Each structure stands twice: as structure tokens, then as C-alpha cells.
Amino acid sequence: MILVIIMKIVVLRTVFFYLFIFVIYRVMGKREVGQLSITDLIVSLLIAELTVISIENYKESILYSLIPIVILVLMQCTLAYISLKKPKFRIFLDGNPSLIIKNGKINYNEMIKQRYNLDDLLVQLRDKGYRSIEEVEYAVLESSGTLSVFPYKKDSSPLPLPIILDGDIQEDTLKHMKKDKKWVYNFLDKKDINIEDVFFAFYKDKNIFIIRNDDLIK
């Protein structure tokens, strides 16, 4: 009889946490597992651990797990909101994408900076169906740790380089281009555009393309 009661409690808690965590992840937003940021991963691991503890310790109140989980979700949502408003804070949390292969050449300095070795690069290239580095024109190590690969193609255009994100100048991009902030501001002045009004600007085919905040669907 006691065993049956315990099993019912465990089953009910399992179903409850399944539904509860489903709702939580809907609130936190849609992200693929491979695209989880460091903060997303930490929150996911802690929620999983708290859930297991609550299911195993069926004698303890469920609130011992619910309250910490709710706090974690509130923290994550708050950090996500601040990241949207403060690009530098987002970079601090998630980091910047890194250009690992440029024009078919490996950027060893960037690999050392990211602690990303040649074996890692070759494994991820093979995983995406590329047998050698010679097939790749550009490869970008994303903030999530995944590798975005752009192979050589006929009539291919250069990889778009982000210059401004949410009104914040991307200094790493300017270093790759051997440009400075003055070059960006001079271009914006000629177009009579304030940097605060720029949502996204990228450099491609020797031109700068700008998406303003007013161009977004709201």
C-alpha cells in the first residue's frame, strides 16, 4: 500500500514538472539546443537538477524546487531583456562570433583566442560534409559554439560583415577590415543618419547596407 502511494506521488510529480517545464520554456523563448547561450545552458542544467531532486525526494515539499526554478526563469528573462537593450551586455554574456576561415585561409590568431584547435575545426567541417579546408571560403564560429560554413561557389559574393548591431559599432569587424570608428561615423554623416537609429549595418561588395529601427515590423 505504501509503495503504491509513493509511486502515485512520483508519477504525479513527474507529470507536473513535465508540464511546468514545458510552460517555462515557452516563456523563455524558442531556441534550438545547439543555439543555447551560456546562460541558457546553465539555467537548463539547474532546472533539470532541481526537477530530479524534487521527484526523488517525494517526502519534501514541491515548493523547494518550484521557487528556485521560478527565480532562475525570472533571472533569465531579465538578462534576455537587458541583452536586447544593451548590446555590450549581450556580448559580455554570449560573446561575439569569430571568423575562423577568411577567403580560404585559417585565422590562427582567432583560433588561439577562442581556444579552438585544428581538430575541432576539422571535426565540425566533416560533420557538415566538407572533406577539406580548401572547399571552404568562410567559416564563422558562432557564440553558441556551432560552426557556420560558406563554401566556394561560382559567382559567390563576399561574406556580409556586421558593422553595427543595435546601434553599437562592432570593433572586431573593423579590425578585420582595417578600418576605424571614424570611417563609420563619416559614412553615417554623409547619409545624415544617427548611429542610435541604426538597427543593423553590414559591409558587402564594397558597400554599407543599413537597416534602420524604423524599417522593423513592430
Side-chain angles (χ1 to χ4, degrees):
M1 185 67 180
I2 296 176
L3 182 60
V4 173
I5 294 174
I6 293 174
M7 289 300 296
K8 285 183 178 179
I9 294 173
V10 171
V11 170
L12 287 173
R13 288 196 176 199
T14 302
V15 173
F16 170 79
F17 274 107
Y18 174 83
L19 297 174
F20 180 66
I21 292 174
F22 175 80
V23 172
I24 279 176
Y25 275 92
R26 294 290 290 177
V27 171
M28 288 172 60
K30 297 178 181 178
R31 298 287 292 273
E32 292 182 14
V33 174
Q35 295 177 336
L36 292 179
S37 65
I38 294 174
T39 53
D40 292 329
L41 182 59
I42 292 172
V43 170
S44 298
L45 291 174
L46 289 175
I47 288 175
E49 188 66 25
L50 288 167
T51 300
V52 171
I53 290 173
S54 183
I55 294 174
E56 289 181 345
N57 299 332
Y58 56 88
K59 293 182 180 179
E60 300 290 341
S61 172
I62 201 170
L63 291 176
Y64 287 119
S65 290
L66 283 181
I67 293 174
I69 289 174
V70 170
I71 292 173
L72 286 170
V73 172
L74 290 175
M75 287 177 58
Q76 179 63 9
C77 291
T78 301
L79 290 174
Y81 178 78
I82 296 174
S83 295
L84 285 173
K85 300 296 182 180
K86 304 289 184 181
K88 290 184 179 179
F89 183 73
R90 181 175 64 247
I91 292 171
F92 170 75
L93 287 180
D94 299 336
N96 267 330
S98 301
L99 195 59
I100 300 298
I101 298 178
K102 179 182 178 182
N103 296 324
K105 296 180 180 179
I106 297 177
N107 187 346
Y108 285 106
N109 290 332
E110 192 63 29
M111 289 180 66
I112 293 171
K113 181 180 176 182
Q114 299 300 326
R115 298 177 182 84
Y116 186 75
N117 60 50
L118 186 58
D119 286 338
D120 294 330
L121 176 60
L122 294 175
V123 167
Q124 289 196 289
L125 287 177
R126 287 196 298 270
D127 186 56
K128 293 183 179 295
Y130 298 98
R131 290 173 291 184
S132 66
I133 295 173
E134 287 74 21
E135 298 178 51
V136 179
E137 185 174 8
Y138 294 98
V140 180
L141 183 64
E142 307 292 354
S143 302
S144 61
T146 58
L147 190 71
S148 298
V149 182
F150 302 87
Y152 280 105
K153 291 183 179 179
K154 292 181 179 179
D155 303 322
S156 64
S157 58
L159 182 71
L161 299 174
I163 295 176
I164 301 174
L165 294 176
D166 290 340
D168 189 60
I169 294 176
Q170 305 300 296
E171 296 186 29
D172 288 342
T173 300
L174 294 181
K175 288 180 181 178
H176 282 299
M177 297 171 58
K178 297 181 180 179
K179 303 289 186 180
D180 55 21
K181 290 185 177 181
K182 185 178 179 181
W183 174 76
V184 178
Y185 284 116
N186 286 338
F187 178 84
L188 294 176
D189 288 339
K190 290 178 181 178
K191 298 291 183 180
D192 195 24
I193 300 174
N194 293 322
I195 191 170
E196 293 81 9
D197 298 328
V198 179
F199 177 73
F200 180 48
F202 62 93
Y203 183 82
K204 184 178 179 181
D205 297 325
K206 298 182 180 180
N207 290 307
I208 296 178
F209 299 87
I210 294 176
I211 300 175
R212 304 191 192 195
N213 291 319
D214 294 338
D215 298 329
L216 302 176
I217 299 175
K218 297 181 180 179

